[in-house]
């Protein structure tokens, strides 16, 4: 009788390396390791050999970078998504793509379950499993961190490091650097270990070697650099006049942003499961893209359309953060976002300098800005009669006057 097959989301890090071995021993199953190449770069080196040596019967390493940039990052950035005013959702947006491909592999291999190494206290478990529920509700899901037997064997990272050493599994985590990292095309995140103390300063000179994608702003060039981003219908299609794919745009902006110390965020956020957590993020290219996109919208997007779209940013961001990428409400919101972007076309110029993104000009063939109307000088178009503002103000002041009268009468 053939063994059961389990598809494991495998990063090669401490957790999934230990889990691969543990799943094979516990379930006596074939473990198919899957790694999505979404921009981890050198982290993928030797991964297939490591997975096979750890016990995987088969390994998939799929290059999903183009799909990630085009079908996930770009649509999300059109929405203006920013979780709790700071987080550009780098990890959140990657999980539905990874889970989607896991489902595809499970179908192709005849697997009965997928597995992941997300902690039972975190958001990723929800993101993986909500995606699986939306795309393949019949597939089983194994989440070792939610199993008591697993937690008893591995109450902390120290025990996992010892287990890896015992079984000859090389991992990056160590007692000296116990924090975890998650890298992709959009960002890299750091959490746990010494970062669990919100008073710990990762930007201190003694801790600068933690960062991967960017130099410290203090060490960035003393000379500012100008960058021009060309947009078509809300998507960046060129950098400094060079036509690029979404993947090419992200790679180029990451290079530029990292060089100038752009995009570092240190925040305490609210996890979907109810607790607060501390995360440190590097999003160099995404930060430039986010800022430039917003500046392009300021010139080309109708005020009320912008107000409507902006009123949905918190909702959209929360849906992505909580794992509802494939939910019908996110798809409905995306249709509205796409419609709002049809005239977000033109060129934005920004200046990068020591961690800052400074606006330096914007132009568009479909600009809604009319200098003849906006000028403080005489309006040659006579499109706006300043005298009309008198009635406009009176009408808007009416309810304030009535309310004030009521409050005055109450005091008498």
């Amino acid at each position: 009788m053939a063994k059961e097959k389990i598809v494991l989301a495998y990063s090669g890090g401490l957790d999934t390396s230990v889990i691969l071995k543990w799943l094979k021993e516990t379930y006596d199953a074939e473990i198919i390791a899957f790694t999505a190449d979404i921009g981890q770069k050198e982290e993928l080196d030797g991964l297939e050999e490591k997975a096979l040596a750890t016990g995987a019967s088969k390994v998939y390493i799929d290059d999903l970078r183009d799909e990630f940039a085009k079908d996930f990052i770009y649509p999300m950035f059109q929405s203006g998504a920013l979780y709790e005013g700071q987080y550009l959702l780098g990890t959140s947006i990657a999980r539905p793509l990874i889970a989607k491909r896991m489902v595809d592999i499970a179908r192709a291999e005849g697997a009965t379950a997928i597995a992941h190494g997300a902690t039972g206290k975190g958001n990723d478990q929800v993101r993986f499993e909500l995606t699986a529920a939306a795309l393949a509700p019949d597939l089983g899901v194994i989440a070792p961190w939610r199993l008591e037997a697993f937690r008893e064997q591995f109450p902390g990272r120290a025990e996992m490091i010892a287990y890896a050493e015992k079984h000859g599994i090389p991992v990056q985590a160590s007692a000296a650097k116990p924090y975890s990292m998650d890298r992709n095309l959009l960002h890299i995140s750091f959490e746990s270990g010494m970062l669990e103390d919100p008073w710990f300063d990762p930007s201190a000179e003694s801790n600068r070697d933690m960062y991967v994608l960017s130099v410290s702003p203090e060490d960035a060039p003393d000379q500012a650099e100008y960058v021009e981003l060309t947009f078509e219908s809300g998507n960046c299609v060129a950098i400094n006049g060079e036509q690029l794919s979404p993947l090419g745009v992200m790679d180029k902006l990451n290079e530029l942003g990292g060089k100038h110390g752009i995009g570092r965020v240190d925040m305490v956020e609210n996890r979907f499961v109810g607790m607060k957590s501390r995360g440190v993020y590097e999003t160099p290219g995404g930060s430039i893209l986010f800022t430039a996109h917003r500046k392009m919208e300021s010139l080309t997007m109708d005020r009320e359309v912008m107000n409507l779209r902006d009123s949905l940013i918190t909702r959209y961001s929360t849906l992505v953060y909580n794992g509802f990428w494939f939910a019908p409400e996110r798809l409905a919101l995306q249709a509205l976002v796409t419609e709002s972007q049809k005239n977000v076309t033109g060129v934005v110029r920004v200046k990068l300098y020591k961690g800052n993104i400074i606006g330096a000009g914007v132009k568009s063939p479909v600009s809604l800005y009319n200098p003849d109307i906006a000028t403080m000088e005489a309006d040659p178009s006579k499109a706006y009669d300043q005298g009309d503002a008198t009635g406009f103000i009176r009408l808007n002041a009416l309810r304030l006057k009535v309310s004030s009268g009521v409050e005055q009468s109450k005091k008498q």
Side-chain angles (χ1 to χ4, degrees), residues 68 71-73 75-77 79-83 87-97 123-124 126-128 130-131 186 272 312-327 329-331 333-334 337:
F68 185 38
D71 297 337
F72 289 79
I73 295 175
M76 182 180 72
F77 270 61
S79 77
L82 190 65
Y83 186 69
Y87 176 38
L88 284 167
L89 297 161
T91 295
S92 311
I93 192 60
R95 296 314 188 228
L97 172 58
N123 300 302
D124 281 344
V126 185
R127 296 165 184 155
F128 281 125
L130 289 182
T131 297
L186 182 53
F272 190 19
L312 299 170
I313 286 177
T314 298
R315 177 66 169 157
Y316 188 107
S317 303
T318 302
L319 286 173
V320 175
Y321 187 84
N322 291 348
F324 289 96
W325 182 257
F326 289 105
E329 63 270 32
R330 200 284 304 178
L331 297 174
L333 285 180
Q334 196 69 56
V337 167

Side-chain angles (χ1 to χ4, degrees), residues 232-249:
E232 290 181 5
S233 300
N235 289 322
C236 183
V237 298
I239 304 293
N240 292 332
E242 179 186 0
Q243 294 287 318
L244 295 169
S245 67
L247 173 58
V249 167

Side-chain angles (χ1 to χ4, degrees), residues 12-287:
L14 177 62
D15 287 23
T16 57
S17 295
V18 168
I19 285 171
L20 194 163
K21 193 78 172 178
W22 185 87
L23 285 172
K24 188 176 178 67
E25 293 176 347
T26 303
Y27 290 87
D28 189 28
E30 285 189 42
I31 310 301
I32 300 168
F34 163 61
T35 300
D37 178 358
I38 48 177
Q40 303 95 310
K41 294 196 174 180
E42 64 274 5
E43 291 180 16
L44 299 175
D45 294 345
L47 211 58
E48 181 176 5
E49 294 80 4
K50 179 179 176 181
L52 291 171
T54 307
S57 60
K58 194 170 184 178
V59 180
Y60 284 81
I61 301 178
D62 295 347
D63 187 349
L64 304 180
R65 292 174 299 161
D66 281 303
E67 183 179 359
F68 185 38
K70 178 178 178 290
D71 297 337
F72 289 79
I73 295 175
Y74 266 35
M76 182 180 72
F77 270 61
Q78 285 190 340
S79 77
L82 190 65
Y83 186 69
E84 296 188 340
Q86 297 185 76
Y87 176 38
L88 284 167
L89 297 161
T91 295
S92 311
I93 192 60
R95 296 314 188 228
L97 172 58
I98 296 171
K100 171 178 171 288
R101 182 59 182 142
M102 287 178 72
V103 167
D104 293 341
I105 293 171
R107 295 295 196 215
E109 293 287 344
T112 56
I114 60 173
H116 60 77
T119 172
K121 288 185 175 182
N123 300 302
D124 281 344
Q125 58 179 338
V126 185
R127 296 165 184 155
F128 281 125
E129 295 181 37
L130 289 182
T131 297
L135 302 180
D138 57 302
L139 274 180
V141 177
I142 301 172
W145 278 112
R146 298 208 303 268
L147 301 176
E148 187 174 354
F150 184 85
R151 295 197 306 274
E152 286 179 352
Q153 186 173 352
F154 304 107
R157 295 181 70 79
E159 289 78 11
M160 298 191 83
I161 293 171
Y163 180 90
E165 291 175 349
K166 178 182 176 182
H167 290 85
I169 304 170
V171 291
Q172 253 189 310
S174 65
K177 294 182 180 180
Y179 51 81
S180 65
M181 300 183 294
D182 182 76
R183 179 178 180 177
N184 62 44
L185 184 63
L186 182 53
H187 86 162
I188 187 167
S189 64
F190 307 89
E191 62 180 1
S192 79
M194 71 276 198
L195 297 175
E196 290 178 355
D197 175 7
W199 191 248
F200 177 84
D201 179 11
S203 71
E205 188 169 356
S206 58
N207 301 318
R208 287 184 183 177
D209 62 347
M210 183 185 82
Y211 291 94
V212 176
L213 301 181
S214 62
V215 302
S216 171
E218 294 95 325
D219 297 330
D222 293 329
Q223 184 68 38
E225 183 170 0
Y226 286 88
V227 181
E228 291 187 2
L229 296 87
T230 303
F231 287 86
E232 290 181 5
S233 300
N235 289 322
C236 183
V237 298
I239 304 293
N240 292 332
E242 179 186 0
Q243 294 287 318
L244 295 169
S245 67
L247 173 58
V249 167
M250 296 308 302
D251 280 337
K252 184 63 176 178
L253 291 180
N254 277 330
E255 176 191 337
L256 291 167
K259 172 184 175 183
H260 291 278
I262 304 293
R264 293 185 175 190
V265 170
D266 180 355
M267 66 182 290
V268 175
E269 68 202 55
N270 290 292
R271 287 182 180 169
F272 190 19
V273 294
M275 69 189 72
K276 289 185 180 291
S277 66
R278 195 268 190 96
V280 176
Y281 303 103
E282 290 180 89
T283 319
S287 297

Side-chain angles (χ1 to χ4, degrees), residues 370-386:
N370 188 325
D372 288 340
I373 296 175
T375 181
M376 293 296 184
E377 306 300 326
D379 177 7
S381 71
K382 300 190 183 303
Y384 185 90
D385 184 341
Q386 295 188 49

Side-chain angles (χ1 to χ4, degrees), residues 389-405:
T390 301
F392 175 78
I393 295 169
R394 283 176 179 166
L395 289 175
N396 278 280
L398 178 59
R399 66 183 181 86
L400 303 180
K401 292 179 178 180
V402 171
S403 178
S404 178

